[in-house]
Amino acid sequence: MDLSGLNAPQREAVTTTEGPLLVLAGAGSGKTRVIIHRLAYLMQKRKVPATSILAVTFTNKAASEMRERAVKLAGLAARKVTLCTFHAFGAEVMREHASKLGFPKKFAIADMGDQVSIIKRAMRERNVDDRAFDARKVLSIISRAKNSRTEPQPKPEGQGDDYDLVAHLVFPLYQLALKAQGAVDFDDLLLLPARLFAEFPQVKKQYTDRFRYLMVDEYQDTNAAQLELLVHLSGKDKNVCVVGDDDQCIYSWRGAEVRNILDFERHFPGAKEVRLEQNYRSTSVILDAANAVIAKNPARKDKRMWTETLGGAAIQSVVAPDENEEARFVAFQIKKAVGLGTPPEDIAVLYRTNGQSRPIEEALREVGVYYEVIGGQEFFDKREVKDVIAYFKVLANPLDQISLLRIVNVPARGIGDVTLERLSSFAQETGKPLWDVLKAAHEVPDLPRGAAEKVAEFCVLMEKYRAQYEKGHLGATTRALLAEIQFADAARASTHSMTAADKKIRAVEDLISSLESFEQKEGARARLMNYLHRLSLDTREEEEEPERRGNVTLMTLHSAKGLEWKLVFLIGLEEDLLPHSGMQGEPPNPEEERRLCYVGITRARDRLVLTRAAQRVKRGKAVPRTPSRFLQDLPEALVEVVDLVGETVAPEPEQQTKFFAGLREKLKAPPKPPPTGG
DNA sequence: TGCAATATCATTTTT
DNA sequence: TGATATTGCA
């Protein structure tokens, strides 16, 4: 086991294997390296079996990257380490023990759409005007309460808004509705295993006996429920190693408690603490800028990040007339950098909100640079994709009323609103699941013979395919199902343009191929519900590592955490955008926004470009914008200001040269040949 | 019942 | 502005 490549604190973090350990790892301090080496050290030096190690990361992407690197360092044994997110771990526990808590073995995981529908329904039931209150906002209150191990409470009389009251009223119904559908939500994937461990000592023992060594990455973003789970899992030996950086806590809106990392010693008495303060990633220019921004936050663990890479390119601060010019500037700069030899995969454009990617995408297409947008929801937002997934859900879980209602008449098969209304109210009256009522439609009073007939046909169809899916062959069965219901024809008919129809059909094709590659990986064990679980736990759309090579990366600051690029564009440095002003009603959190900006700055290795627009089109109207306060916090000596207001980034090829000539002068860059067209 | 035009209305981040 | 909800019409 070679530890010579590590510095002293890194080595200490790797070799301290017994008892609780807090590793405070600043941005770019080689945190992942430490985790990987620690895994290898545990297995090789301490002879800990891989199966006794549980390593938890924040995203699935991080987990699979970590596994890959661990295998490289420690060999194939590392494959047997349990390496996943808290939520995936919780789902695993639930798959084994769901019935102990009264959930079906094949429980479903409710997605956001399901949750919102349930809440809307519950609001109506409580006589709350479901148009006056945004169900998603109610959901976020409920979710935050659950993650903090509490229940939503109404604010004292006159204080605060009515949302807390609505959430309080709706909460019990929401919980009941989930259970009635045999479903859990994301938060339950943490809460229910914790309850399981608390109520069933033998279940807890099963896990504490197995996992003797725990590691948690991104500990600053864990919430109360995750802490509880961790305390349970840590058993008697308390071999818990958590790694994190309080300056990078950016998920408090999801219940993350910076206090978890600040109070680690209190939760795990006798904990050791190691600080990693040397930055191996960025130039000192970039690091100094980052330090200047984050220093303005009160109440942090006082870390002093330093680097041996002194100097570096100045940070550019660019003002463009509007968001389109901002995007074009970024695109041309990227084109130029690529022309000068920077590989596209070493470049990223980061932004606060997903919506900001659009102008950038257009501009990059204009200059012919390939890119990949990470995150966003577009794929799952396609109606056809949602429809097919709803079919899956009903086939895997007949209790899923919401999905059933969604697809019972998709494609149109003559089961209209009137019929459905009658069926659901009959279900309500008799307390039977809707699916059972459908199967016995002829027993429902006041239902016309024709309607009952169509419902019966639908049931036959579903029963037939449910049996098919039970046997496996997920992909083939899906194709058969979609062919039988003439899904493609319906999609085509629902739109006039061929290309729009093609896109829809392609999206469904992509879904099927993702199902098929899941099937390939799981082999004969592949079942529909497991696929659905994976879909909801792993938001990465494509199976294979998305083509990072040759592509510039576009993503939000939140998804950028933990990643790095040679050249980073951080766009939209404007008040109300970064720092974001938050949803109205919700108080803004300027400290968290500052940490977010810090995360963005520290993603850059060599060069950082900060851009903003003087005005931005919002709701169709041009709105003047104020520069972000964070720009003011940068030491002047590190920054080069570029003012593009009143100029247009040239769209025509012959003007590009001219534009770059002008730009070179502005940036006082050494003369270089203009980029090749292309 | 199904479709198309019209009205409305939002606006953060993600497991 | 652009996506979705709702209404109105065939």
Side-chain angles (χ1 to χ4, degrees):
Chain A
M1 185 74 236
D2 182 20
L3 300 179
S4 60
L6 303 177
N7 66 30
Q10 286 177 334
R11 212 171 303 140
E12 194 188 347
V14 167
T15 55
T16 308
T17 59
E18 310 302 304
L21 172 68
L22 166 63
V23 180
L24 276 173
S29 61
K31 179 189 70 173
T32 310
R33 240 171 98 78
V34 165
I35 297 177
I36 303 297
H37 276 85
R38 199 167 181 280
L39 280 176
Y41 187 85
L42 279 171
M43 289 186 285
Q44 296 180 354
K45 200 75 171 200
R46 300 275 193 235
K47 304 293 176 209
V48 175
T51 49
S52 300
I53 303 176
L54 171 62
V56 185
T57 59
F58 196 67
T59 63
N60 293 289
K61 189 152 146 271
S64 54
E65 275 173 19
M66 204 167 277
R67 167 159 289 135
E68 209 171 290
R69 288 182 58 177
V71 167
K72 258 188 205 148
L73 186 70
L76 283 178
R79 280 196 181 177
K80 298 223 165 139
V81 172
T82 302
L83 190 42
C84 59
T85 65
F86 267 114
H87 289 87
F89 176 77
E92 203 52 57
V93 173
M94 284 296 285
R95 272 194 276 266
E96 199 168 335
H97 301 287
S99 53
K100 296 194 175 60
L101 295 175
F103 286 88
K105 264 205 244 4
K106 295 191 324 182
F107 67 96
I109 299 174
D111 64 25
M112 262 233 290
D114 301 332
Q115 300 183 69
V116 167
S117 309
I118 291 173
I119 288 190
K120 277 190 181 152
R121 183 180 284 251
M123 288 202 298
R124 260 169 274 154
E125 210 167 313
R126 287 277 172 196
N127 294 318
V128 175
D129 182 0
D130 62 325
R131 290 204 289 193
F133 291 91
D134 180 0
R136 288 184 329 181
K137 226 155 140 182
V138 177
L139 174 62
S140 88
I141 293 174
I142 290 179
S143 172
R144 206 169 319 161
K146 288 178 82 168
N147 278 312
S148 336
R149 310 288 290 107
T150 58
E151 292 184 2
Q153 293 299 331
K155 286 268 166 34
E157 189 71 24
Q159 199 65 40
D161 58 39
D162 296 332
Y163 269 99
D164 296 293
L165 177 61
V166 175
H168 172 74
L169 290 173
V170 158
F171 178 68
L173 294 182
Y174 169 78
Q175 296 287 77
L176 282 176
L178 275 179
K179 196 148 192 180
Q181 300 200 21
V184 305
D185 66 14
F186 271 112
D187 309 322
D188 290 332
L189 291 176
L190 308 172
L191 297 173
L192 296 178
R195 198 205 293 170
L196 213 40
F197 292 158
E199 290 177 11
F200 299 87
Q202 74 281 13
V203 175
K204 176 171 164 175
K205 188 167 183 301
Q206 174 194 340
Y207 288 92
T208 51
D209 280 353
R210 168 159 179 202
F211 296 113
R212 314 304 300 270
Y213 290 85
L214 311 178
M215 270 198 243
V216 184
D217 191 16
E218 307 286 8
Y219 191 65
Q220 75 281 354
D221 284 317
T222 54
N223 59 35
Q226 287 162 326
L227 172 63
E228 187 178 346
L229 206 48
L230 188 63
V231 169
H232 276 301
L233 286 168
S234 62
K236 283 193 273 298
D237 333 322
K238 303 263 185 271
N239 294 326
V240 185
C241 168
V242 305
V243 186
D245 177 4
D246 50 310
D247 287 333
Q248 296 188 61
C249 172
I250 56 177
Y251 283 92
S252 61
W253 50 274
R254 226 175 65 195
E257 293 277 358
V258 208
R259 300 188 48 122
N260 280 0
I261 197 166
L262 299 176
D263 295 348
F264 183 73
E265 160 99 52
R266 199 163 59 75
H267 298 135
F268 295 92
K272 280 197 184 174
E273 181 177 310
V274 174
R275 288 170 183 240
L276 308 180
E277 297 181 298
Q278 181 174 2
N279 176 297
Y280 293 95
R281 180 186 293 153
S282 309
T283 65
S284 69
V285 167
I286 290 166
L287 197 58
D288 289 349
N291 282 334
V293 168
I294 200 64
K296 292 220 167 177
N297 259 359
R300 17 187 314 259
K301 288 240 182 193
D302 192 28
K303 287 185 302 317
R304 268 159 289 158
M305 299 303 295
W306 59 279
T307 175
E308 286 176 349
T309 317
L310 300 180
I315 293 166
Q316 286 166 18
S317 170
V318 184
V319 206
D322 59 47
E323 72 267 36
N324 292 317
E325 295 302 321
E326 178 190 40
R328 282 166 136 178
F329 173 83
V330 170
F332 278 116
Q333 287 284 83
I334 289 176
K335 175 101 179 161
K336 185 177 159 193
V338 171
L340 293 175
T342 308
E345 59 267 28
D346 281 340
I347 304 174
V349 183
L350 308 180
Y351 36 79
R352 177 66 234 268
T353 65
N354 280 123
Q356 289 169 264
S357 75
R358 219 152 81 189
I360 299 284
E361 292 179 58
E362 282 167 17
L364 285 174
R365 278 199 293 269
E366 201 179 323
V367 297
V369 169
Y370 294 112
Y371 61 88
E372 187 179 24
V373 187
I374 310 288
Q377 312 241 300
E378 281 178 16
F379 180 73
F380 291 102
D381 275 351
K382 289 216 164 52
R383 198 203 317 162
E384 286 70 20
V385 173
K386 282 191 193 160
D387 287 340
V388 176
I389 291 177
Y391 264 98
F392 290 165
K393 287 182 169 176
V394 175
L395 287 161
N397 173 23
L399 291 177
D400 188 337
Q401 212 182 103
I402 286 166
S403 301
L404 178 56
L405 285 170
R406 183 188 175 101
I407 53 136
V408 67
N409 200 30
V410 174
R413 47 171 76 85
I415 303 174
D417 291 343
V418 186
T419 306
L420 282 177
E421 185 48 49
R422 211 153 273 167
L423 290 164
S424 9
S425 56
F426 186 74
Q428 187 101 54
E429 283 161 28
T430 54
K432 284 186 191 163
L434 183 59
W435 172 251
D436 292 357
V437 173
L438 290 191
K439 273 203 297 191
H442 54 275
E443 291 170 12
V444 177
D446 302 331
L447 198 66
R449 170 86 61 84
E453 208 55 47
K454 285 174 176 141
V455 171
E457 265 172 52
F458 171 73
C459 291
V460 169
L461 174 87
M462 295 304 271
E463 295 285 19
K464 170 176 155 196
Y465 280 97
R466 187 166 293 145
Q468 288 284 313
Y469 278 111
E470 280 302 316
K471 291 186 213 151
H473 311 297
L474 306 185
T477 306
T478 304
R479 289 181 195 282
L481 168 64
L482 295 187
E484 179 161 348
I485 64 178
Q486 302 184 313
F487 194 82
D489 296 331
R492 243 177 251 122
S494 76
T495 175
H496 293 301
S497 95
M498 280 294 274
T499 50
D502 276 353
K503 268 187 193 161
K504 291 171 178 194
I505 293 166
R506 182 114 45 94
V508 173
E509 274 298 326
D510 287 347
L511 180 68
I512 298 177
S513 45
S514 114
L515 172 64
E516 280 171 340
S517 65
F518 170 81
E519 192 175 4
Q520 199 143 44
K521 217 156 77 182
E522 296 287 306
R525 300 188 354 263
R527 286 296 174 272
L528 212 44
M529 188 51 96
N530 295 339
Y531 174 70
L532 289 172
H533 281 190
R534 220 221 53 190
L535 263 194
S536 39
L537 291 171
D538 192 349
T539 50
R540 288 175 306 166
E541 289 146 35
E542 258 57 58
E543 227 352 79
E544 294 314 315
E545 188 62 15
E547 283 297 314
R548 188 170 168 179
R549 274 191 66 162
N551 284 331
V552 171
T553 302
L554 275 55
M555 64 166 76
T556 64
L557 287 168
H558 282 87
S559 350
K561 189 179 59 167
L563 305 175
E564 60 174 61
W565 295 267
K566 251 191 188 132
L567 170 56
V568 168
F569 294 83
L570 183 48
I571 68 172
L573 272 121
E574 299 150 35
E575 283 295 302
D576 297 344
L577 194 51
L578 183 64
H580 200 274
S581 49
M583 266 204 302
Q584 77 172 117
E586 298 291 307
N589 185 345
E591 288 174 30
E592 178 139 323
E593 296 297 317
R594 189 174 284 281
R595 291 193 289 266
L596 216 31
C597 183
Y598 174 78
V599 167
I601 293 173
T602 52
R603 295 312 98 193
R605 286 210 293 267
D606 297 351
R607 196 152 85 84
L608 175 66
V609 182
L610 308 173
T611 69
R612 65 185 177 93
Q615 59 171 224
R616 200 170 278 276
V617 177
K618 257 188 153 185
R619 250 190 272 168
K621 285 265 178 338
V623 180
R625 313 284 300 165
T626 350
S628 165
R629 66 192 72 172
F630 303 142
L631 288 172
Q632 261 96 90
D633 297 331
L634 301 173
E636 253 178 62
L638 306 177
V639 180
E640 205 163 28
V641 176
V642 181
D643 189 339
L644 299 173
V645 176
E647 299 189 30
T648 298
V649 178
E652 301 301 327
E654 68 269 19
Q655 287 175 28
Q656 280 183 29
T657 324
K658 210 172 120 197
F659 169 76
F660 282 122
L663 194 64
R664 258 203 311 281
E665 211 162 290
K666 261 193 173 123
L667 302 178
K668 293 176 221 133
K672 295 235 172 77
T676 50

